[in-house]
Amino acid sequence: MNSVEGLLTQIQGLSSTASDVLSLQNVLKQADESLHAESTRLLPFLDQLDPSKHSLGYLYFLEACTAGPVTTESASSFVLIIARFISSCVAEQIRLAPDKFISVCKRFKDQVLLLEEPLRGVAPMLTAVRKLQSSTEHLTTLHPEFLLLCLLAKCYKTGLSILEEDIFEVDQPRDLYLYCYYGSVVTAPMSTINAIAVEAYKKYILVSLIHHGQLSTSLPKYASGVAQRNLKSLCLVHFNSRTNDVEGFSYIELANSYNNGKIADLETYVQANMEKFGSDNNLGLVKQVVSSIYKRNIQRLTQTYLTLSLQDIANTVQLNSPKEAEMHVLQMIQDGEIYATINQKDGMVRFLEDPELYKTCEMIEHIDLSIQRLMTLSKKLTVMDELISCDPLYLGKAGRERQRFDFDDFDSVPQRFNI
């Protein structure tokens, strides 16, 4: 290879047009091994490159610079350099070396975590996701990294912006599992059970209790057969990593205690298994489950009574005082979880029906948008179904397995592809 200085000159001269950048890509691939060998002296050369013009060359230099161990002291400077590069680089150039870009962004995430400043990584990582994506329907390897930073930085709404997008294209299955795990998506396609799915199911149990006040023992029909058969049984026991023992501890038992509505029983169970919940990193969610049982018991009262005093609510739900009951009821009214009015004079609560008549302009617009989204999804699924029906691998597998099952077990295949 030519000297680093010579390579620098080529980067500066071959970054103007698309054809020049393709030529530069071949040069950089040949020089990659030598760049890593010179990694300790490459950092000053970055000042001679403009990341907004020489994005591909800058990426190769930056990836080589960050390949080695990074100390806390050097992490601060690298975080600034990488954040600046992500912000100003040209998407078309970095997509020519996606593995390099992903490596740099993952190291960026590691460095902000080393500095214990995950918030610094949220905005740059979101920009990196957008630049790596071919479309908003594309799930990249950086999606899980971004969601992890959002969780650690408590930027939940920022992460939601990504989760609200429909995904139809996935680079690697592991990326999808981590995306679902960090994003609290209930299920994902799988051919075998994995640890990510088991941990996600545990959180699904806890979040269902918090949000819905109950746990459905059956997964949605679209969940894979492997998940349907195995996830529940795997959450019936706890593996102690210190003793390598399987212990009789169950998230399902927690859900059963919750469904009984007896706060004392639930608190006793949580207290007895607090260390195990902590080892699963779920203790915070479990504490929210305990808090939510008060709301669930208040919701139960709305199914029986039209009016009830705050004192009676406090006694029935096992709250300490009418004032505490009032605060719970007010918060539930504000969150739209119940419909009620409180008479401050006599301390009476009147429970009401849902006032939504589903005929306002806002509601009609909301329904229309939902219908449009479903129509778009239906068209995409039809196209995907046609592509799969023509796929040689699918047709070959269907042909081999057809002999093992009745014909009715399979969806029909277009006649021109009879097998």
PDB file of all heavy atoms in Angstrom, residues 295 330-338:
ATOM      1  N   LYS A 295     -55.011   0.099  41.821  1.00  0.00           N
ATOM      2  CA  LYS A 295     -55.836   0.606  40.724  1.00  0.00           C
ATOM      3  C   LYS A 295     -56.784  -0.475  40.213  1.00  0.00           C
ATOM      4  O   LYS A 295     -57.949  -0.206  39.915  1.00  0.00           O
ATOM      5  CB  LYS A 295     -54.946   1.096  39.576  1.00  0.00           C
ATOM      6  CG  LYS A 295     -54.113   2.314  39.905  1.00  0.00           C
ATOM      7  CD  LYS A 295     -53.547   2.968  38.664  1.00  0.00           C
ATOM      8  CE  LYS A 295     -52.659   2.035  37.870  1.00  0.00           C
ATOM      9  NZ  LYS A 295     -52.069   2.709  36.697  1.00  0.00           N
ATOM     10  N   LEU A 330     -58.320  10.241  41.487  1.00  0.00           N
ATOM     11  CA  LEU A 330     -58.033  11.394  40.625  1.00  0.00           C
ATOM     12  C   LEU A 330     -57.020  11.040  39.535  1.00  0.00           C
ATOM     13  O   LEU A 330     -57.179  11.434  38.374  1.00  0.00           O
ATOM     14  CB  LEU A 330     -57.507  12.562  41.475  1.00  0.00           C
ATOM     15  CG  LEU A 330     -58.540  13.323  42.303  1.00  0.00           C
ATOM     16  CD1 LEU A 330     -57.850  14.322  43.223  1.00  0.00           C
ATOM     17  CD2 LEU A 330     -59.545  14.037  41.409  1.00  0.00           C
ATOM     18  N   GLN A 331     -55.967  10.300  39.906  1.00  0.00           N
ATOM     19  CA  GLN A 331     -54.954   9.911  38.926  1.00  0.00           C
ATOM     20  C   GLN A 331     -55.546   8.985  37.868  1.00  0.00           C
ATOM     21  O   GLN A 331     -55.243   9.112  36.676  1.00  0.00           O
ATOM     22  CB  GLN A 331     -53.788   9.215  39.638  1.00  0.00           C
ATOM     23  CG  GLN A 331     -52.603   8.917  38.716  1.00  0.00           C
ATOM     24  CD  GLN A 331     -51.983  10.175  38.140  1.00  0.00           C
ATOM     25  OE1 GLN A 331     -51.660  11.103  38.856  1.00  0.00           O
ATOM     26  NE2 GLN A 331     -51.841  10.217  36.812  1.00  0.00           N
ATOM     27  N   MET A 332     -56.422   8.081  38.280  1.00  0.00           N
ATOM     28  CA  MET A 332     -57.051   7.158  37.332  1.00  0.00           C
ATOM     29  C   MET A 332     -58.010   7.892  36.395  1.00  0.00           C
ATOM     30  O   MET A 332     -58.106   7.552  35.209  1.00  0.00           O
ATOM     31  CB  MET A 332     -57.783   6.050  38.088  1.00  0.00           C
ATOM     32  CG  MET A 332     -56.847   5.113  38.832  1.00  0.00           C
ATOM     33  SD  MET A 332     -57.715   3.875  39.810  1.00  0.00           S
ATOM     34  CE  MET A 332     -58.342   2.809  38.506  1.00  0.00           C
ATOM     35  N   ILE A 333     -58.702   8.901  36.914  1.00  0.00           N
ATOM     36  CA  ILE A 333     -59.569   9.710  36.050  1.00  0.00           C
ATOM     37  C   ILE A 333     -58.732  10.463  35.027  1.00  0.00           C
ATOM     38  O   ILE A 333     -59.049  10.509  33.835  1.00  0.00           O
ATOM     39  CB  ILE A 333     -60.389  10.705  36.903  1.00  0.00           C
ATOM     40  CG1 ILE A 333     -61.386   9.955  37.787  1.00  0.00           C
ATOM     41  CG2 ILE A 333     -61.122  11.702  36.000  1.00  0.00           C
ATOM     42  CD1 ILE A 333     -62.104  10.846  38.794  1.00  0.00           C
ATOM     43  N   GLN A 334     -57.612  11.037  35.484  1.00  0.00           N
ATOM     44  CA  GLN A 334     -56.730  11.787  34.592  1.00  0.00           C
ATOM     45  C   GLN A 334     -56.140  10.891  33.506  1.00  0.00           C
ATOM     46  O   GLN A 334     -55.998  11.313  32.352  1.00  0.00           O
ATOM     47  CB  GLN A 334     -55.602  12.435  35.409  1.00  0.00           C
ATOM     48  CG  GLN A 334     -54.658  13.295  34.579  1.00  0.00           C
ATOM     49  CD  GLN A 334     -53.580  13.956  35.435  1.00  0.00           C
ATOM     50  OE1 GLN A 334     -53.724  14.081  36.639  1.00  0.00           O
ATOM     51  NE2 GLN A 334     -52.507  14.385  34.807  1.00  0.00           N
ATOM     52  N   ASP A 335     -55.821   9.651  33.850  1.00  0.00           N
ATOM     53  CA  ASP A 335     -55.235   8.710  32.880  1.00  0.00           C
ATOM     54  C   ASP A 335     -56.283   8.036  32.006  1.00  0.00           C
ATOM     55  O   ASP A 335     -55.932   7.233  31.139  1.00  0.00           O
ATOM     56  CB  ASP A 335     -54.423   7.642  33.620  1.00  0.00           C
ATOM     57  CG  ASP A 335     -53.210   8.226  34.338  1.00  0.00           C
ATOM     58  OD1 ASP A 335     -52.801   9.347  33.962  1.00  0.00           O
ATOM     59  OD2 ASP A 335     -52.690   7.572  35.260  1.00  0.00           O
ATOM     60  N   GLY A 336     -57.577   8.336  32.242  1.00  0.00           N
ATOM     61  CA  GLY A 336     -58.632   7.730  31.438  1.00  0.00           C
ATOM     62  C   GLY A 336     -58.905   6.282  31.770  1.00  0.00           C
ATOM     63  O   GLY A 336     -59.504   5.558  30.970  1.00  0.00           O
ATOM     64  N   GLU A 337     -58.479   5.836  32.950  1.00  0.00           N
ATOM     65  CA  GLU A 337     -58.675   4.437  33.338  1.00  0.00           C
ATOM     66  C   GLU A 337     -60.051   4.188  33.943  1.00  0.00           C
ATOM     67  O   GLU A 337     -60.550   3.068  33.919  1.00  0.00           O
ATOM     68  CB  GLU A 337     -57.583   4.028  34.334  1.00  0.00           C
ATOM     69  CG  GLU A 337     -56.199   4.043  33.712  1.00  0.00           C
ATOM     70  CD  GLU A 337     -55.083   3.822  34.724  1.00  0.00           C
ATOM     71  OE1 GLU A 337     -55.236   4.249  35.878  1.00  0.00           O
ATOM     72  OE2 GLU A 337     -54.064   3.226  34.350  1.00  0.00           O
ATOM     73  N   ILE A 338     -60.664   5.227  34.516  1.00  0.00           N
ATOM     74  CA  ILE A 338     -62.051   5.158  34.969  1.00  0.00           C
ATOM     75  C   ILE A 338     -62.715   6.491  34.652  1.00  0.00           C
ATOM     76  O   ILE A 338     -62.030   7.497  34.389  1.00  0.00           O
ATOM     77  CB  ILE A 338     -62.176   4.870  36.488  1.00  0.00           C
ATOM     78  CG1 ILE A 338     -61.511   5.984  37.311  1.00  0.00           C
ATOM     79  CG2 ILE A 338     -61.616   3.507  36.848  1.00  0.00           C
ATOM     80  CD1 ILE A 338     -61.777   5.883  38.805  1.00  0.00           C
TER      81      ILE A 338
END
